[in-house]
Amino acid sequence: MFQLLNNYSSELFLGFKNTIMVSVLALVFSLVIGSLVGIMQTSHHKGLRMLGDIYVEFFRNIPLLIIVMFFYVVVPLYALAHKASYEGKIAAEAISGKAAAVDYKVMPSVAFTDPEIASYGLTEKEAKDQGLDVKATKFPLAGNGRALSLNQKEGFVRLVATKDDKVIVGAQMVGVGASDVMAEAGLAIEAGMNAEDIALTIHGHPSLGESLMDTAEGVLGMPIHM
């Protein structure tokens, strides 16, 4: 556990170090360019004043953009709010002397678009690339009562499970409420549950969460709503 934390801490420290270096360089760049622009804008030469005005109008945010873009490069994995919150808790535990380790097994990726998109764990391709023998099962939201009542039947739920024991290793959803529905799938992946665990869990009706249950039934070869 501590080795994982040490490896991550080293990677994170390197990321912070690089970010600070680039931030300092961007600050120096801003000061130098800002001084030059100030000189150009106060120049008696019309062409120089025009160049200064163009920079202020179109390029003044470039240093900030450099910092933001580099931040996304040096941060391990994804620069997500929930990931940062999780890492903060791990860091606090480590500082207080408790045994702590970083585990990115189930890192949510959520897009609050219309429709919403959410992904937990591995995609089918990622699982196969890791040598897992898996199968992806998809359930259309058109078969979910709550989605129909909301008149938002576009989308689907997909579970990626191992073929032999049906253990859930990944879940994706496109559709209404995806950011909330997929939290249950995240728990299932983190706990090492199989499709039967979800299928045998009674879900309220009508609810969007039933779509996950229906997908799990599909994994078991016993779908009743498609």
Side-chain angles (χ1 to χ4, degrees), residues 107-122:
M107 182 56 62
S109 293
V110 181
F112 292 94
T113 49
D114 185 14
E116 291 185 354
I117 305 171
S119 178
Y120 282 69
L122 304 174

Side-chain angles (χ1 to χ4, degrees), residues 4-225:
L4 284 174
L5 183 60
N6 289 336
N7 292 342
Y8 171 74
S9 299
S10 300
E11 185 179 4
L12 188 61
F13 174 75
L14 179 61
F16 285 148
K17 180 180 177 182
N18 291 339
T19 302
I20 292 173
M21 289 174 59
V22 171
S23 299
V24 171
L25 291 175
L27 178 59
V28 172
F29 174 79
S30 300
L31 292 174
V32 173
I33 295 299
S35 299
L36 292 175
V37 169
I39 294 173
M40 286 189 292
Q41 286 187 305
T42 57
S43 172
H44 295 295
H45 194 283
K46 185 178 180 180
L48 288 177
R49 290 200 307 273
M50 184 179 296
L51 287 175
D53 292 339
I54 290 174
Y55 177 87
V56 171
E57 186 68 27
F58 298 104
F59 303 110
R60 58 185 175 184
N61 290 324
I62 284 181
L64 178 61
L65 291 175
I66 292 174
I67 296 174
V68 172
M69 289 166 57
F70 198 81
F71 175 78
Y72 275 88
V73 173
V74 301
V75 172
L77 293 180
Y78 310 108
L80 301 170
H82 46 267
K83 174 174 172 285
S85 177
Y86 166 75
E87 290 169 342
K89 295 175 185 176
I90 297 297
E93 290 180 356
I95 292 171
S96 64
K98 295 182 179 179
V102 175
D103 179 11
Y104 292 134
K105 178 181 178 182
V106 191
M107 182 56 62
S109 293
V110 181
F112 292 94
T113 49
D114 185 14
E116 291 185 354
I117 305 171
S119 178
Y120 282 69
L122 304 174
T123 63
E124 182 180 16
K125 182 180 184 304
E126 290 171 340
K128 289 182 177 179
D129 288 344
Q130 292 185 18
L132 298 176
D133 188 16
V134 298
K135 179 183 178 181
T137 301
K138 186 185 295 186
F139 177 81
L141 283 184
N144 177 263
R146 183 57 177 155
L148 291 174
S149 70
L150 293 172
N151 196 29
Q152 297 191 55
K153 60 183 180 179
E154 297 80 11
F156 62 87
V157 176
R158 180 171 58 209
L159 288 177
V160 181
T162 57
K163 290 182 179 180
D164 52 357
D165 47 13
K166 313 300 182 188
V167 171
I168 307 298
V169 297
Q172 296 82 41
M173 179 176 178
V174 176
V176 57
S179 58
D180 297 317
V181 174
M182 283 291 97
E184 180 184 354
L187 174 62
I189 299 169
E190 184 67 40
M193 296 180 182
N194 60 28
E196 188 175 26
D197 293 319
I198 299 177
L200 294 180
T201 300
I202 301 174
H203 291 65
H205 177 77
S207 68
L208 294 172
E210 286 182 294
S211 60
L212 192 62
M213 177 186 69
D214 285 313
T215 312
E217 290 177 348
V219 174
L220 299 173
M222 300 183 295
I224 63 173
H225 291 123

